Amino acid sequence: MAAPLSLSRQASSAPSLERFAGYRMKRAFNVIQSDLAGVLAPFGLRMLTFSALVSLVDEPGLTSAHLAALLDVERPNLVAVVEDLERRGLIRRVAVPTDRRARALCPTKAGRDLCREALGAVQAHEARLFAGLDKGALMAALDVIRTRQG
Amino acid sequence: MAAPLSLSRQASSAPSLERFAGYRMKRAFNVIQSDLAGVLAPFGLRMLTFSALVSLVDEPGLTSAHLAALLDVERPNLVAVVEDLERRGLIRRVAVPTDRRARALCPTKAGRDLCREALGAVQAHEARLFAGLDKGALMAALDVIRTRQG
DNA sequence: TATTGTTATACTCTATAACTATA
DNA sequence: TATAGTTATAGAGTATAACAATA
């Protein structure tokens, strides 16, 4: 595939777009995301469902609202996720004695088991993806960016 | 907002999710993306439109298919983008003598001007966002990830 | 046969508005 | 009033299938 017209004024070896970390990040994140989707698919999990399950195994009893705040998504987006997890017997919705509106989300044994397996697969995936890279430094940089809204 | 049930078995100070670079990257990228959208909005540009315009200023005469390959998106997704850019007089579609199917996409003076202004705003934004960080190292790491599909 | 640009379409992700039942 | 969970909905973003014109 050659360029149809040679209108380029220079052999611009450093395209402007590539000078933006935001652009490179988007491209890198696309790779990670589609890769990760492939890793999670065999478990019947998508990224948000996986994140929710892991969070609930870490902190059993969270409500939907707490979970939404933790994962930084809006509450309505968790409805389908929680329903999916419950329908598959991975979590239970437990009545909260002190607040009849709320439902504590608790992982079942099956949920904890699936979570452990999926975590292992994701860990293996990241080990491959970040081999040779300073993952700690990368994560630290990402955290700085994350807390720099505005 | 206190946890409704104290079912947590431990004061798990390092949540499993946070151990994944993919998760941190998603969160960091969300910040960058919404931030960047705010920077580009005053110019009437969205991320993909901005990327397309910058690419065309860098390499005038690219066809839609070339642009799609360059930006790693499917061709149909550029139709609306190119139409938008042309309707606003930022690019022109020039007939290609050697291939009557293709149309060379060429930025106009207005397009180059808007591109320069938007590039400046995005650069300023990134300077703020990455202040104190080793942007070069971060970009290098992102590139390694990007080329590590599968 | 293959490719360009295009249409139509669909799916994912995620946000807002508004309802209900509680608080 | 405010909050928890939910419904309905909408808007990005992006992908696939298929078509007409051209190669």
Side-chain angles (χ1 to χ4, degrees), chain A residues 34-85:
Chain A
S34 70
D35 238 52
L36 202 50
V39 170
L40 291 175
F43 300 98
L45 297 170
R46 288 180 307 163
M47 263 191 93
L48 185 56
T49 319
F50 170 72
S51 301
L53 180 58
V54 171
S55 299
L56 292 176
V57 168
D58 264 0
E59 299 190 58
L62 286 178
T63 64
S64 194
H66 282 99
L67 190 55
L70 187 65
L71 298 177
D72 195 31
V73 296
E74 295 303 315
R75 276 67 83 213
N77 297 320
L78 284 182
V79 174
V81 168
V82 167
E83 259 171 16
D84 178 44
L85 288 173

Side-chain angles (χ1 to χ4, degrees), chain A residues 60-133:
Chain A
L62 286 178
T63 64
S64 194
H66 282 99
L67 190 55
L70 187 65
L71 298 177
D72 195 31
V73 296
E74 295 303 315
R75 276 67 83 213
N77 297 320
L78 284 182
V79 174
V81 168
V82 167
E83 259 171 16
D84 178 44
L85 288 173
E86 190 189 36
R87 198 174 349 97
R88 293 168 59 191
L90 301 173
I91 65 169
R92 283 172 304 133
R93 296 192 233 209
V94 181
V96 176
T98 59
D99 188 341
R100 280 162 53 201
R101 296 170 301 180
R103 312 268 252 142
L105 306 175
C106 302
T108 61
K109 170 110 178 20
R112 287 188 299 271
D113 288 348
L114 185 70
C115 183
R116 195 182 328 109
E117 290 171 43
L119 274 172
V122 172
Q123 259 154 4
H125 166 249
E126 293 221 337
R128 286 194 304 276
L129 199 59
F130 296 97
L133 294 176

Side-chain angles (χ1 to χ4, degrees), chain B:
Chain B
M1 244 213 277
L5 287 180
S6 26
L7 296 177
S8 301
R9 290 158 309 182
Q10 64 217 15
S12 169
S13 59
S16 309
L17 259 186
E18 293 293 340
R19 301 211 314 263
F20 292 111
Y23 181 73
R24 297 208 199 188
M25 193 135 178
K26 182 198 181 76
R27 297 289 294 263
F29 181 61
N30 281 351
V31 170
I32 292 183
Q33 195 169 39
S34 69
D35 240 51
L36 203 49
V39 171
L40 291 175
F43 300 97
L45 297 171
R46 288 180 305 163
M47 263 190 96
L48 185 55
T49 318
F50 170 72
S51 301
L53 180 59
V54 172
S55 299
L56 292 177
V57 168
D58 263 1
E59 299 190 57
L62 285 179
T63 64
S64 194
H66 283 98
L67 190 55
L70 188 64
L71 298 177
D72 196 29
V73 297
E74 295 303 316
R75 275 67 82 211
N77 296 322
L78 285 182
V79 174
V81 168
V82 167
E83 260 171 16
D84 178 43
L85 289 172
E86 191 189 34
R87 200 176 346 97
R88 293 168 59 191
L90 302 173
I91 65 169
R92 281 173 305 134
R93 295 192 233 210
V94 180
V96 176
T98 59
D99 188 339
R100 281 162 53 201
R101 295 170 303 182
R103 312 268 253 143
L105 305 175
C106 301
T108 61
K109 168 107 179 24
R112 286 189 298 271
D113 289 348
L114 185 70
C115 184
R116 195 181 328 108
E117 290 170 44
L119 274 172
V122 172
Q123 259 154 6
H125 167 248
E126 293 220 338
R128 287 194 304 277
L129 198 60
F130 295 97
L133 293 177
D134 187 344
K135 190 174 165 182
L138 179 57
M139 302 233 289
L142 292 175
D143 264 18
V144 171
I145 293 166
R146 187 165 137 182
T147 55
R148 222 175 244 180
Q149 321 232 31

